[in-house]
Amino acid sequence: MAKTALVVGASGIVGSATAALLVERGWTVHGLARRPGAQAGVQPVAADLQDADETASALRSLNPDAVFITTWLRQDSEAENIRVNAAMVRNLLDRLPKPSGPRHVALVTGLKHYLGPFEAYGRGTLPQTPFREEQGRLDVENFYYAQEDEVFAAAARDGFSWSVHRPHTVIGLAVGNAMNMGTTLAVYATICRETGRPFTFPGSAAQWSGLTDMTDADQLARHLLWATETTAAHDQAFNVVNGDVFRWQWMWSRLAAWFGIDAAPFDGTVRPLEQQMADDAALWRDIAERDGLAEPDLTRLASPWHTDADLGRPIEVVADMSKSRRLGFTGYQRTDDAFFALFDRLRDARLIP
């Protein structure tokens, strides 16, 4: 019989990629979201995880072999991030019917495990790079830690295995996602081409010249499934990145070339996208109307604040993946190819002209 999966956050960048891979591999897939979209082969489950009773009602007939938690809700403070996102994981695992057989729960967090929450992002005493899983938690409140603790507590109570996955910035397709560098840069490049503005790197000198890496959503989906199906990977936390490293001073001109524009010279000045794109909503609506695009609302496509947070970091950020390699995960994805594939998908979906 086909295995059954519950993908939580199925409409997001990671959730949609994970659901698609599971369907391809023959799983029966239930996709949970507050407002589920149509996705081939995925059975929609509508629930707000902040509502315990609604969650219980939505999940009462499910008995999944695997649960993939790929969602979070951004709040105004880290204290609220902890309260809301821990409650969502707790409501999910408390209201899901107890497993009648082996079950695996995979939680997606990220490198803020090592860098700290947005309120203290990249500041203070941080672990040395490349980040390794054995480096302990920072002495700071962090909603990723709270989410982990909810998974650990439920696993101890209900006897399921778990894995935690820590990607770097994720490249993938989703609309309305709060952390979406790939689409943000595609929209920014489109606006620069439209207006003749310089395509200017918005971040820090450290990010421009230092080594970095990223995580393609399909690579992350493969990693989630690998950990679910590999006993040696159970009850473990893993970094997951594409497997290559690059410098933005090299990548930036490659992204520009895809859009047929020149990359502006970088003079070391931080020029945040949140400021550069602050007045572009009306312009994007005009472009969308003229070119028949599917999404005229700029805020549904671009998340400049998050791209600024990543590209403005004052330190080099690289994640070590040798733990996964030692246990047999061999997935690899060139990051420039991941960007180009995303841009092709955005164009095919009429999200950029």
Side-chain angles (χ1 to χ4, degrees), residues 177-193:
N177 192 277
M179 299 166 66
N180 196 339
M181 181 190 286
T183 304
T184 298
L185 294 180
V187 169
Y188 174 56
T190 300
I191 289 172
C192 289
R193 185 178 62 198

Side-chain angles (χ1 to χ4, degrees), residues 12 37 50 62 77 83 185 187:
Q50 296 181 83
L62 298 183
S77 69
R83 184 186 68 80
L185 294 180
V187 169

Side-chain angles (χ1 to χ4, degrees), residues 13-14 170-174 180 182-183 215-218 338 342 345-346:
I13 293 176
V14 178
V170 177
I171 303 171
L173 177 62
N180 196 339
T183 304
T215 306
D216 180 72
D218 291 336
L342 171 63
R345 292 180 67 194
L346 290 170

Side-chain angles (χ1 to χ4, degrees), residues 249-330:
Q249 62 186 16
W250 174 82
M251 184 68 76
W252 198 249
S253 60
R254 293 182 66 77
L255 301 187
W258 194 94
F259 289 92
I261 58 179
D262 294 326
F266 179 65
D267 64 5
T269 304
V270 176
R271 295 181 171 88
L273 286 181
E274 198 161 26
Q275 296 176 14
Q276 292 193 54
M277 301 176 70
D279 299 320
D280 286 339
L283 172 62
W284 185 259
R285 191 170 295 278
D286 290 343
I287 294 171
E289 181 177 355
R290 183 195 68 199
D291 293 328
L293 301 185
E295 182 52 74
D297 185 350
L298 181 64
T299 64
R300 297 267 299 155
L301 294 174
S303 51
W305 67 271
H306 181 259
T307 298
D308 288 340
D310 275 3
L311 297 184
R313 292 180 298 212
I315 58 172
E316 182 176 274
V317 177
V318 180
D320 181 82
M321 236 185 118
S322 57
K323 182 177 181 180
S324 294
R325 301 301 189 205
R326 288 197 303 271
L327 292 176
F329 182 76
T330 59

Side-chain angles (χ1 to χ4, degrees), residues 99-241:
S100 59
R103 175 180 291 168
H104 186 80
V105 174
L107 171 67
V108 177
T109 61
L111 294 196
K112 287 190 293 297
H113 183 93
Y114 309 108
L115 289 163
F118 287 120
E119 290 179 2
Y121 196 46
R123 298 196 296 269
T125 302
L126 300 175
Q128 289 186 334
T129 56
F131 296 138
R132 295 177 175 85
E133 294 90 344
E134 63 267 23
Q135 293 165 328
R137 292 180 175 183
L138 301 176
D139 186 19
V140 63
E141 294 297 309
N142 189 323
F143 83 88
Y144 283 171
Y145 305 161
Q147 287 182 308
E148 285 184 344
D149 289 342
E150 294 294 342
V151 171
F152 301 158
R157 179 191 67 211
D158 295 336
F160 58 75
S161 61
W162 55 267
S163 56
V164 175
H165 303 255
R166 300 171 185 160
H168 200 163
T169 305
V170 177
I171 303 171
L173 177 62
V175 176
N177 192 277
M179 299 166 66
N180 196 339
M181 181 190 286
T183 304
T184 298
L185 294 180
V187 169
Y188 174 56
T190 300
I191 289 172
C192 289
R193 185 178 62 198
E194 178 77 16
T195 62
R197 291 184 208 164
F199 185 60
T200 303
F201 182 73
S204 68
Q207 289 301 304
W208 177 254
S209 59
L211 289 173
T212 193
D213 49 28
M214 294 184 73
T215 306
D216 180 72
D218 291 336
Q219 169 85 335
L220 177 50
R222 292 188 291 268
H223 194 261
L224 287 162
L225 182 56
W226 164 79
T228 297
E229 296 181 331
T230 303
T231 302
H234 290 177
D235 304 336
Q236 301 280 339
F238 297 99
N239 298 329
V240 49
V241 289

Side-chain angles (χ1 to χ4, degrees), residues 13-62:
I13 293 176
V14 178
S16 59
T18 302
L21 176 64
L22 292 167
V23 169
E24 178 186 311
R25 298 290 178 86
W27 287 59
T28 298
V29 181
H30 302 271
L32 187 150
R34 283 176 294 170
R35 293 177 293 276
Q39 187 173 0
V42 178
Q43 301 176 32
V45 179
D48 181 351
L49 293 181
Q50 296 181 83
D51 187 324
D53 292 337
E54 180 180 312
T55 300
S57 177
L59 299 179
R60 64 174 177 267
S61 63
L62 298 183

